[in-house]
Amino acid sequence: MTSLSTAFQANTIRYSPARPNSPRRKPEGSRSFLCGAFRVPSLRNVTLRQVYFHNGRYRSLKDALNFYVQRDTHPERWYPRRADGSIEKFDDLPARWHANVNRKEVPYDRQPGQTPALDEREIDDVIAFLATLEDGWGAR
C-alpha cells in the first residue's frame, strides 16, 4: 500500500470524528493540492506508538487500520450524519478540497457497501508484520 509506506510522503486520507482538534490547512499559492494532506511517517516502531493520526484520534493500530480499510466501504462508522441522514464524509476538510482526498489507491478505491480491502484476519496479519519493524528503541 503506497499510503502506508515508509517514504515520508504526504497522503490525503481524511478521518473525521475529532473535529474540534482538527487543524485546517490553508493553501500556499499553487500548493492547494496539499490541503488536507498529512505527512506519512516511517513504519519503524509503529506498533509501539500510543496514539495514531495527526491528532491522536485512534488509540490502537487496529482501529487506525480499520479506518483505512473501511473509510469508503462503511463511512457511517467513521463520519457524522447530516440532519437529512446522509453521511458527511471528510467533514473536517472544506468541500473545495475534497477532490484532494486519495480515492484511487487500495484501500481507498472502494465504494459504500463493497467488501473492505482487508478482512479482520488480514488486518491482524498486517499488524504482526508491522511488529517485525521494531528496532528495540522505545518502551511499550
Side-chain angles (χ1 to χ4, degrees), residues 12-17 19 24 67-82 84-99 101-104 107-113:
T12 310
I13 56 164
R14 299 322 300 166
Y15 75 96
S16 173
R19 204 156 96 168
R24 297 217 181 218
F67 167 80
Y68 281 124
V69 301
Q70 295 177 8
R71 180 198 78 178
D72 297 300
T73 60
H74 296 91
E76 70 281 358
R77 294 180 182 168
W78 310 102
Y79 298 101
R81 291 190 180 272
R82 294 182 184 95
D84 67 3
S86 63
I87 306 294
E88 188 177 358
K89 282 185 73 171
F90 319 127
D91 67 312
D92 63 339
L93 184 67
R96 68 181 174 271
W97 294 320
H98 284 193
V101 176
N102 184 348
R103 295 183 184 131
K104 296 177 183 165
Y108 317 120
D109 62 344
R110 308 297 166 109
Q111 298 298 314

Side-chain angles (χ1 to χ4, degrees), residues 3 5 9 11 15 17 29-30 33 39 44 52 54 60 64 77 86 89 116 118 123 127-128:
S3 59
S5 73
Q9 64 192 13
N11 193 17
Y15 75 96
S30 64
F33 68 93
R39 191 171 181 204
R44 179 177 291 147
Y52 298 87
H54 70 282
S60 75
R77 294 180 182 168
S86 63
K89 282 185 73 171
L118 301 174
I123 289 172
I127 292 170

